[in-house]
Amino acid sequence: MNILFVADPLESFKIYKDTTFVMMREAQRRGHTISACEPRHMQWQRGGVVTAQVRDIHLTGDKTDWFSTSQPLFADSPRPLKDFGAVIMRKDPPFDSEFFYATHLLGQAEREGARVFNKPAALRDHPEKLAIMEFPQFIGPTIVTRSADDVRRFHAEHKDIILKPLDGMGGTGIFRVKEDGLNLGGIIETLNRFGAQSVMVQKFLPEIAAGDKRVLVIGGKPVPYCLARIPQGGEVRGNLAAGGKGVAQPLSARDREIAETLGPILAARGLLLAGIDVIGDSITEINVTSPTCFQEIFDQTGCDVAALFIDALEAALTTHPA
């Protein structure tokens, strides 16, 4: 089977930790052929099907020159996405307008017969922070609003709060305001742009000291280990991109309860892979664009998450063929 990965530039991969890389490696190990493109290489011309300029690549096993290709950089003739055995959408956030348009092109490719994972409509329907609001039994006190007055009332009630933009990634734009309310007004103005932009506000969860856990769900089933991303120094954020330390650990009973409840729901919507972020007993985010942490979990526990993913991909293609 020829698998197309729609991803960031291959030259930007940090293969010692990149999840897309280990997906590719496991697929190639099983005899599948690998192709790659970026969202900007997709096109849809009047009267035609959705195509992309792609590179067929082979993983070399070398740590520096990690892939080889006989093709010039995306100079080949465009190829229909429907001709690939599977299309894996792995473009990293931000979920901006170009990501949004890419899901529409991928959705059209689906109508033409392409098998796309995660499903493009599901990517659009699950904004990664807002998605938690569907599961109130698993989240702490939370409000989404544009109103500065709403934020101030929430702070007056809960004293210690976290504010975050809905389109942030890697911990960017996250602020903590304690009971003294220091600089709350300036933070609100920065995030809600004087009422023009929605903000998520949550009660601070002190359990963050033990880590912001990434619980992976593949094919509706939880991976048995999560990665607790533990804040370092004076940071309140556990994100690896913000300097957090990743510690793999078995799922707790609560982690498993959350994953086993959400997993079948997400899978039924076309989300083959999701990353549920859990602090203490509460969900804080449901990642569906390009969930990571495969390599960190494998390196520390030996649990081969990439193999679990390709197992689920092959099963999905066999159970529900195009």
Side-chain angles (χ1 to χ4, degrees):
M1 175 170 62
N2 190 185
I3 302 176
L4 173 64
F5 287 84
V6 182
D8 291 287
L10 299 180
E11 291 76 13
S12 71
F13 280 27
K14 297 179 175 62
I15 65 167
Y16 67 92
K17 68 175 184 177
D18 194 283
T19 289
T20 305
F21 166 74
V22 290
M23 289 177 174
M24 291 176 171
R25 186 176 63 188
E26 176 62 19
Q28 179 175 286
R29 189 189 69 79
R30 299 188 187 200
H32 302 304
T33 56
I34 306 301
S35 301
C37 73
E38 301 166 39
R40 65 190 178 97
H41 298 123
M42 294 192 295
Q43 59 180 266
W44 184 17
Q45 188 168 337
R46 185 185 70 172
V49 299
V50 176
T51 63
Q53 292 178 305
V54 310
R55 282 188 288 182
D56 300 320
I57 66 171
H58 179 80
L59 277 59
T60 64
D62 186 85
K63 292 183 178 180
T64 303
D65 297 321
W66 64 270
F67 73 92
S68 62
T69 179
S70 60
Q71 298 158 303
L73 186 61
F74 304 106
D76 198 10
S77 298
R79 291 158 60 183
L81 268 62
K82 67 182 181 65
D83 289 352
F84 291 89
V87 178
I88 313 297
M89 177 52 159
R90 288 290 302 174
K91 175 68 179 72
D92 283 344
F95 194 108
D96 55 14
S97 59
E98 285 303 317
F99 194 111
F100 180 76
Y101 300 144
T103 67
H104 280 289
L105 290 181
L106 290 168
Q108 173 60 24
E110 274 191 321
R111 290 188 287 273
E112 296 161 0
R115 301 299 308 277
V116 184
F117 304 90
N118 283 328
K119 194 174 180 65
L123 292 175
R124 291 195 299 273
D125 291 345
H126 287 81
E128 299 187 326
K129 291 181 175 61
L130 275 176
I132 68 172
M133 301 296 280
E134 185 181 350
F135 306 102
Q137 71 273 34
F138 294 127
I139 68 174
T142 302
I143 186 172
V144 177
T145 182
R146 292 188 186 186
S147 167
D149 290 340
D150 287 346
V151 176
R152 293 184 185 281
R153 281 192 290 267
F154 190 90
H155 176 258
E157 178 181 358
H158 296 290
K159 312 300 182 185
D160 194 353
I161 64 173
I162 293 289
L163 301 93
K164 60 181 73 170
L166 293 179
D167 60 354
M169 55 175 269
T172 57
I174 293 179
F175 294 90
R176 179 184 179 185
V177 177
K178 298 182 181 180
E179 187 171 2
D180 59 15
L182 186 65
N183 207 29
L184 178 59
I187 292 170
I188 293 171
E189 292 168 4
T190 298
L191 292 181
N192 85 341
R193 297 182 183 176
F194 297 94
Q197 185 167 290
S198 297
V199 179
M200 175 171 278
V201 191
Q202 297 174 296
K203 181 180 180 181
F204 175 73
L205 300 173
E207 297 90 341
I208 183 61
D212 179 356
K213 294 174 286 186
R214 168 61 56 82
V215 177
L216 293 166
V217 178
I218 297 175
K221 299 177 181 178
V223 172
Y225 295 89
C226 65
L227 190 76
R229 296 156 301 169
I230 301 172
Q232 301 296 295
E235 267 291 352
V236 71
R237 301 169 298 173
N239 308 74
L240 299 182
K245 178 183 178 182
V247 178
Q249 58 192 44
L251 298 188
S252 68
R254 177 65 165 182
D255 297 337
R256 189 168 292 278
E257 177 191 6
I258 289 170
E260 290 179 346
T261 301
L262 271 62
I265 296 171
L266 299 176
R269 295 173 180 173
L271 295 166
L272 184 69
L273 170 63
I276 304 170
D277 290 349
V278 179
I279 297 176
D281 290 336
S282 300
I283 302 173
T284 60
E285 195 165 327
I286 302 174
N287 295 268
V288 299
T289 49
S290 60
T292 60
C293 299
F294 281 29
Q295 293 211 57
E296 293 88 346
I297 291 173
F298 175 75
D299 290 344
Q300 295 182 40
T301 71
C303 178
D304 195 339
V305 188
L308 296 176
F309 175 77
I310 299 299
D311 284 344
L313 175 66
E314 291 174 340
L317 293 168
T318 302
T319 305
H320 302 288

